[in-house]
Amino acid sequence: MKKAIIIGSGIGGLASALRMRHKGYEVEVIEQNGYPGGKLTELRADGYRWDAGPSLFTMPHLVTELIELFGRDVNEYFSYNRQEEVCRYWWEDGMTFTVDADPSTFINDAASTFSIDPSRLHQYLKDSRFKYDHTSPLFLERSLHKASTYLSKDTLKALVNVGRMDLSKSLHDYNLQMLEEPHLVQLFDRYATYNGSSPYQTPGIMSMIPHLEMDIGTYFPEGGMHSITQALYNLAVDVGIAFRWNHAVDQIIIENRKAKGVRIKNEILKADVVISNMDIHPTYNKLLSDVSPPRNTLTQERSSSALIFYWGVKGIHEHFGLHNILFSGQYRSEFESLFDRYEIGDDPTVYINITSKIESVDAPPGNENWFVMINAPGDYGQRWDELILQARAKIIDKIERLTGRPLSEHIVTERVLDPRSIASKTSSHQGALYGSSSNDRMAAFLRHPNFHRRIPNLFFCGGSVHPGGGIPLCLLSGKIVSELAPTP
């Protein structure tokens, strides 16, 4: 049996491992940490449990199809429920709004709250669905770097409709044209952050992202987001995939323009296929130091990072739901700080995720587990200890001011994750959450391909390569890799 080695057990690495195993390979996953999942893991302290990384779950079929691939019962590994609300929003002027999971209800509620013609919102969501349906088969589900991709009906369909993709204007300008009402413009501008970009720079085609939440739906996995990792890991073990924990790969062995395996200290592990789930920067700079790096790709602007506070909070705070956003009153300035000055702005937008609203065991009785995140620049050597203290004070002030309720004295335990620790724990270059940003209309084409052009059995998956960051795209990267890899 031919062997595939996967470097890294992030969600893309797990997906690649499963698909390569299904394809007929012996598979071994090498992980520098002592646990699977990469960013999609959990944190426990003082009776609280938090999902450490991604907190929004969409497109559950990309998880369940991996289980079904092996003829297994999905319910034995994974359960999830569709949510009745998408998110609760708060603005500096006192406006609040909850997005209902039913698109018709959302349109009616938003039209009434913001005094906008409901036909505008209906058209916006219709266009969002159109963009997704006409581009996902090309941009998300296949390699953009293979000529065969462009010789298909899907490509022709996308090209015929390219004028409706709004590539020539920014997402913000598109939202302003379509909606005008400032609260709704800001609500839909926020979707640029789903790939670590600025709404004032990323192209209008990114208006397809709301379709994932408002049409396909948002979900919550039983046991929290970490259960996605656990489900795929348990399945991997059951189908015979081997894992080697607490081992960092030092080198991908290249001989005669073929990947022959990997070196871990003084040990050589041979393989017929090598797949790197590590960020593309350290993959080249550390593991492929003798291979010419793709300079244009590696010098692309990085996506935003995050500063996350994991708080144990006394009391049940009914005004918050599972997902909550407290918007900046200086939204453009926030993104200028992130991408132009590599700073945290004076008025950051605050995201709060509270899984104990659904999973009561995630916090002691009568308490809540708050995952509190703001957008942050990557690690460029800033004075993070000072920035963290300043940001913490701003976040607490904003929450107390917009809700009119005290918070600081209710925080009973705290843990912090910043761009430095994101980089060290997940090998993400400069702590970027999504690899490169999408602050360019050609960004999708500039991402590193899922294969190496001159080394035919070397492949790449995960958030720093095509098709991008986030759970659904990382899962799709694993699928693309398995389709590109030779059949054993």
Side-chain angles (χ1 to χ4, degrees):
M1 185 178 293
K2 290 194 173 183
K3 182 173 182 177
I5 285 179
I6 318 293
I7 303 171
S9 66
I11 199 71
L14 290 174
S16 294
L18 287 165
R19 290 188 179 278
M20 293 298 285
R21 181 66 180 144
H22 182 260
K23 195 162 186 170
Y25 282 84
E26 175 190 354
V27 178
E28 184 172 9
V29 181
I30 316 297
E31 171 57 54
Q32 68 172 354
N33 295 307
Y35 54 85
K39 298 181 183 74
L40 193 60
T41 184
E42 67 176 7
L43 175 65
R44 293 178 182 266
D46 303 325
Y48 295 87
R49 190 205 74 86
W50 300 269
D51 287 312
S55 54
L56 178 68
F57 185 38
T58 61
M59 304 179 75
H61 68 278
L62 295 177
V63 175
T64 57
E65 71 180 17
L66 287 169
I67 302 170
E68 292 167 345
L69 200 62
F70 293 90
R72 304 297 177 102
D73 182 356
V74 170
N75 294 322
E76 291 184 6
Y77 291 90
F78 189 58
S79 298
Y80 60 93
N81 297 293
R82 183 169 180 144
Q83 296 303 292
E84 294 181 359
E85 69 176 44
V86 174
C87 188
R88 299 184 186 185
Y89 291 93
W90 305 67
W91 283 269
E92 285 285 345
D93 62 1
M95 177 71 77
T96 63
F97 183 70
T98 298
V99 175
D100 193 280
D102 177 70
S104 297
T105 302
F106 160 70
I107 289 172
N108 292 332
D109 290 349
S112 174
T113 301
F114 301 109
S115 301
I116 184 174
D117 187 335
S119 65
R120 284 189 153 193
L121 290 161
H122 178 78
Q123 187 62 48
Y124 189 100
L125 295 185
K126 182 179 178 181
D127 289 350
S128 178
R129 180 169 57 252
F130 177 88
K131 288 171 184 170
Y132 179 83
D133 288 344
H134 283 74
T135 59
S136 63
L138 171 63
F139 290 97
L140 304 182
E141 299 171 15
R142 298 179 185 173
S143 171
L144 285 180
H145 306 84
K146 289 286 188 180
S148 57
T149 299
Y150 299 91
L151 303 174
S152 68
K153 293 180 180 179
D154 290 330
T155 304
L156 181 60
K157 187 190 301 184
L159 291 175
V160 167
N161 292 285
V162 70
R164 295 181 60 182
M165 300 302 162
D166 295 293
L167 290 166
S168 63
K169 58 172 71 79
S170 71
L171 177 62
H172 173 75
D173 288 342
Y174 172 78
N175 290 339
L176 195 61
Q177 172 188 320
M178 292 291 291
L179 302 169
E180 293 185 351
E181 203 287 324
H183 298 89
L184 284 173
V185 170
Q186 191 170 26
L187 190 156
F188 283 100
D189 277 357
R190 185 179 74 89
Y191 287 98
T193 65
Y194 282 38
N195 56 25
S197 305
S198 165
Y200 305 95
Q201 298 182 61
T202 199
I205 193 173
M206 293 303 173
S207 61
M208 74 169 73
I209 299 175
H211 169 65
L212 303 182
E213 279 191 0
M214 297 183 177
D215 284 332
I216 297 178
T218 63
Y219 300 81
F220 186 82
E222 292 183 11
M225 297 293 287
H226 182 240
S227 68
I228 300 172
T229 293
Q230 289 302 111
L232 298 184
Y233 169 68
N234 290 337
L235 174 64
V237 171
D238 288 348
V239 300
I241 294 173
F243 287 83
R244 188 178 295 221
W245 306 111
N246 300 305
H247 283 75
V249 173
D250 295 312
Q251 182 184 13
I252 298 173
I253 307 296
I254 306 296
E255 295 177 1
N256 299 320
R257 295 193 175 184
K258 278 199 171 184
K260 296 294 186 179
V262 301
R263 179 173 61 82
I264 302 173
K265 293 184 179 179
N266 296 321
E267 183 181 5
I268 303 296
L269 302 179
K270 293 184 178 181
D272 300 282
V273 168
V274 175
I275 302 170
S276 178
N277 181 216
M278 184 185 282
D279 186 296
I280 201 68
H281 269 262
T283 296
Y284 275 97
N285 295 332
K286 179 183 176 184
L287 307 186
L288 293 169
S289 56
D290 294 333
V291 176
S292 297
R295 301 289 181 191
N296 290 339
T297 297
L298 298 188
T299 55
Q300 275 184 275
E301 179 184 53
R302 297 289 91 192
S303 79
S304 58
S305 185
L307 174 58
I308 305 171
F309 294 91
Y310 306 95
W311 286 339
V313 179
K314 287 190 299 184
I316 303 299
H317 301 257
E318 300 291 349
H319 49 285
F320 284 140
L322 174 63
H323 301 291
N324 312 272
I325 289 287
L326 288 73
F327 271 124
S328 169
Q330 306 170 45
Y331 211 41
R332 185 184 291 270
S333 177
E334 178 178 359
F335 289 97
E336 290 172 349
S337 295
L338 289 173
F339 291 105
D340 298 341
R341 299 187 292 275
Y342 307 128
E343 298 173 352
I344 294 174
D346 292 330
D347 180 24
T349 295
V350 179
Y351 167 71
I352 304 172
N353 174 247
I354 310 173
T355 61
S356 59
K357 297 287 187 183
I358 298 175
E359 297 274 352
S360 61
V361 295
D362 284 353
N367 290 16
E368 293 182 337
N369 64 332
W370 288 25
F371 169 107
V372 182
M373 184 183 79
I374 61 172
N375 296 316
D379 180 21
Y380 294 89
Q382 299 94 320
R383 301 168 72 174
W384 283 108
D385 293 338
E386 292 180 18
L387 292 178
I388 290 168
L389 289 175
Q390 294 168 6
R392 185 182 190 277
K394 293 172 184 175
I395 290 169
I396 292 175
D397 175 72
K398 189 177 192 72
I399 295 172
E400 292 182 336
R401 185 161 35 80
L402 267 60
T403 64
R405 296 169 174 85
L407 172 61
S408 55
E409 62 264 34
H410 292 274
I411 300 172
V412 296
T413 190
E414 176 179 276
R415 298 294 186 274
V416 181
L417 187 69
D418 63 62
R420 297 170 301 181
S421 44
I422 292 172
S424 64
K425 291 180 183 221
T426 66
S427 297
S428 300
H429 182 60
Q430 295 174 329
L433 295 182
Y434 306 96
S436 59
S437 76
S438 294
N439 290 336
D440 187 294
R441 72 181 68 178
M442 298 301 293
F445 296 94
L446 295 175
R447 279 186 173 272
H448 195 286
N450 302 101
F451 61 94
H452 196 284
R453 298 184 188 280
R454 298 186 304 279
I455 305 173
N457 62 335
L458 177 60
F459 300 92
F460 309 89
C461 65
S464 69
V465 299
H466 180 71
I471 295 171
L473 300 190
C474 287
L475 291 170
L476 286 170
S477 77
K479 185 174 184 178
I480 293 170
V481 163
S482 70
E483 291 171 349
L484 294 172
T487 299

